[in-house]
Amino acid sequence: MPTEIPQVVIDRLPVYYRLLSRMQDEDRAVVSSQELGEALGVTPAQIRKDLSYFGRFGKQGRGYSVERLTKELRLILGLGRRWRLVLVGIGRLGRAIASYRGFEPQGFDIVAVYDSDPAVIDTSVDGHAVRDVSELGANLRREPVDIGIVAVPAEHAQEVITTLTDAGVRAILNYAPRAVQVPRGVRLERIDPVISLQSMTYHMTREDQSQSAPAG
Amino acid sequence: MPTEIPQVVIDRLPVYYRLLSRMQDEDRAVVSSQELGEALGVTPAQIRKDLSYFGRFGKQGRGYSVERLTKELRLILGLGRRWRLVLVGIGRLGRAIASYRGFEPQGFDIVAVYDSDPAVIDTSVDGHAVRDVSELGANLRREPVDIGIVAVPAEHAQEVITTLTDAGVRAILNYAPRAVQVPRGVRLERIDPVISLQSMTYHMTREDQSQSAPAG
């Protein structure tokens, strides 16, 4: 396997995996790069190039084996094992995350939930006992987790993330609308709808300007 | 302004904007590329290069004017106006979105909310009257919106998105865990925590493998 695979390619692999899993559930045996490209909005050439980073999955003119490609992508993405997650922050957003049914089938288990609000600590949310965030670091040292999901108010995000990474958490999914820092070697992904909206309004504004500009 | 700005740069602009807005709220007058880089986890050279696509904001050795840069980014990102949004799907996730206080200060107004569940249609959720999704297309033609937020179950996502784009919606923020297609010229952004988690587990798995592999 080559050492440097572009991040944009890596970001597409989970999307391939999801589509192929669904095809496998529907008992599809073979899929062409043409069909994958149409479903995902990229060219067949891009599909072939992306998958070629990981070995030779397809036979010329015969398409890809759905079963084999799904299985390989599953291993490449690290989904051949289960991952332990902790969720910090159980406000409205945290509750939506805790109740999301899409994590567990993909190998992601939320094993503990934390908050700072005395009114919710020791209550149960979607089957999770809510623990006191002041005990987060100590608990993680006893019961390590792989990934932290942060759904606290922006002003607390950095402090919570530092507690998580100091206790050995290696990956952070940050829902708080704030730029945060993690130590070298810790993975960080952001989920932020305003950032996504602004990326689209940038383009929409430019289109509007070019339409209203005088020709020539 | 050059015509082709890399998408990765555009994706960073909202992040710059958020940080600078906060600095402006704190009455900061000037910021260096060094400081911006540290806060955002990129190099000062990258900051200078990103911002150079949009003109000359900084003076050599004197840093950037926080006020001027914030104002310019605001215009570049299309935040000098308000944007009309419709939210489709008011389950647990949709409710978290409808109640999110981060949209309105950035110029994003959720002007209508839709669902297909007779039990919630015509009820009020966070001040929004829930409308019947079967009336979505007709209503949008009378009262156009700019952006659609889709928080429906995966199997309904494509149908809802087609209804939105057929009625003239130019940008879609898709929370449904399903690859969907939009017509040419329509913007599409995906928010999907499982995809973000799998992008991180890809890297974590490779790190684990390289650590457990025999040396040499």
Side-chain angles (χ1 to χ4, degrees):
Chain A
M1 202 181 285
T3 43
E4 275 303 330
I5 296 156
Q7 183 62 40
V8 289
V9 176
I10 295 162
D11 288 343
R12 281 193 286 264
L13 296 182
V15 183
Y16 294 154
Y17 175 70
R18 168 167 289 152
L19 178 61
L20 285 156
S21 302
R22 187 149 56 90
M23 288 179 168
Q24 201 176 8
D25 291 345
E26 292 164 358
D27 290 325
R28 289 283 308 274
V30 175
V31 64
S32 66
S33 51
Q34 181 77 34
E35 191 185 348
L36 285 175
E38 276 170 19
L40 300 174
V42 297
T43 64
Q46 186 68 62
I47 299 276
R48 288 191 293 269
K49 190 172 173 217
D50 283 3
L51 296 180
S52 73
Y53 282 105
F54 303 94
R56 296 190 60 78
F57 290 123
K59 288 206 182 70
Q60 191 67 40
R62 289 185 49 192
Y64 298 97
S65 155
V66 171
E67 185 181 356
R68 182 159 163 243
L69 190 48
T70 309
K71 199 170 152 190
E72 290 286 341
L73 281 171
R74 192 174 157 75
L75 289 176
I76 288 167
L77 290 169
L79 309 178
R81 52 160 286 190
R82 301 202 70 79
W83 297 87
R84 291 166 56 84
L85 279 64
V86 64
L87 167 64
V88 187
I90 196 78
R92 179 107 55 150
L93 173 62
R95 279 163 204 266
I97 296 166
S99 70
Y100 181 51
R101 299 285 162 254
F103 293 129
E104 189 273 337
Q106 299 298 331
F108 297 107
D109 298 315
I110 296 178
V111 297
V113 166
Y114 287 85
D115 203 282
S116 63
D117 180 359
V120 296
I121 291 168
D122 291 334
T123 66
S124 175
V125 170
D126 267 283
H128 299 284
V130 181
R131 306 185 193 183
D132 187 337
V133 75
S134 69
E135 296 164 12
L136 176 61
N139 288 349
L140 287 177
R141 285 180 184 88
R142 278 200 309 274
E143 306 165 41
V145 305
D146 304 295
I147 302 169
I149 304 183
V150 178
V152 300
E155 60 271 29
H156 299 304
Q158 183 63 64
E159 183 191 345
V160 164
I161 288 170
T162 301
T163 302
L164 289 166
T165 56
D166 282 354
V169 174
R170 293 163 59 202
I172 301 290
L173 186 61
N174 181 30
Y175 280 84
R178 181 71 58 99
V180 293
Q181 286 157 316
V182 293
R184 215 181 146 79
V186 173
R187 302 281 157 194
L188 174 68
E189 289 273 330
R190 176 182 54 227
I191 294 207
D192 188 329
V194 168
I195 299 283
S196 301
L197 290 171
Q198 289 177 346
S199 170
M200 296 196 288
T201 55
Y202 164 83
H203 289 288
M204 293 158 82
T205 302
R206 275 171 60 90
E207 285 161 13
D208 290 347
Q209 282 165 352
S210 66
Q211 277 168 16
S212 62
Chain B
M1 202 181 289
T3 43
E4 275 304 327
I5 295 156
Q7 184 61 39
V8 290
V9 176
I10 294 161
D11 289 342
R12 281 194 285 264
L13 297 182
V15 183
Y16 294 152
Y17 175 69
R18 169 168 290 153
L19 178 62
L20 286 156
S21 301
R22 187 149 57 90
M23 289 178 168
Q24 201 176 9
D25 290 345
E26 293 163 358
D27 290 326
R28 289 283 309 274
V30 175
V31 64
S32 66
S33 51
Q34 181 78 32
E35 189 184 352
L36 285 175
E38 275 169 22
L40 299 174
V42 296
T43 64
Q46 187 68 62
I47 300 276
R48 288 191 293 269
K49 192 173 171 215
D50 282 3
L51 297 179
S52 73
Y53 281 105
F54 302 93
R56 297 189 61 78
F57 289 122
K59 287 205 181 73
Q60 191 69 37
R62 289 186 49 192
Y64 299 97
S65 156
V66 171
E67 184 180 356
R68 182 157 164 244
L69 189 48
T70 309
K71 196 170 154 190
E72 289 287 341
L73 281 171
R74 192 174 157 77
L75 289 176
I76 288 167
L77 289 169
L79 308 178
R81 52 161 284 192
R82 301 202 70 80
W83 297 88
R84 291 167 55 84
L85 278 63
V86 65
L87 168 63
V88 187
I90 196 79
R92 180 108 53 149
L93 173 63
R95 279 163 204 265
I97 296 166
S99 70
Y100 182 52
R101 299 286 163 254
F103 292 128
E104 188 272 337
Q106 299 298 333
F108 298 107
D109 298 315
I110 295 179
V111 298
V113 166
Y114 287 85
D115 203 283
S116 64
D117 180 359
V120 296
I121 291 168
D122 291 334
T123 67
S124 175
V125 171
D126 267 282
H128 300 283
V130 181
R131 307 185 192 181
D132 187 337
V133 75
S134 68
E135 296 164 11
L136 176 61
N139 287 349
L140 287 176
R141 286 182 182 85
R142 278 199 310 274
E143 305 164 44
V145 305
D146 304 294
I147 301 169
I149 304 183
V150 177
V152 301
E155 61 270 27
H156 299 304
Q158 183 64 62
E159 182 190 345
V160 164
I161 288 170
T162 301
T163 302
L164 289 166
T165 55
D166 282 355
V169 174
R170 294 163 60 202
I172 301 290
L173 186 61
N174 180 30
Y175 280 83
R178 182 69 57 97
V180 293
Q181 288 158 314
V182 293
R184 215 182 146 78
V186 172
R187 302 282 158 192
L188 173 68
E189 290 272 330
R190 175 182 54 228
I191 293 208
D192 187 329
V194 168
I195 299 283
S196 301
L197 289 171
Q198 290 178 345
S199 170
M200 297 196 287
T201 56
Y202 164 82
H203 289 289
M204 293 159 83
T205 302
R206 275 170 61 90
E207 285 160 12
D208 289 346
Q209 283 165 351
S210 65
Q211 278 167 17
S212 62

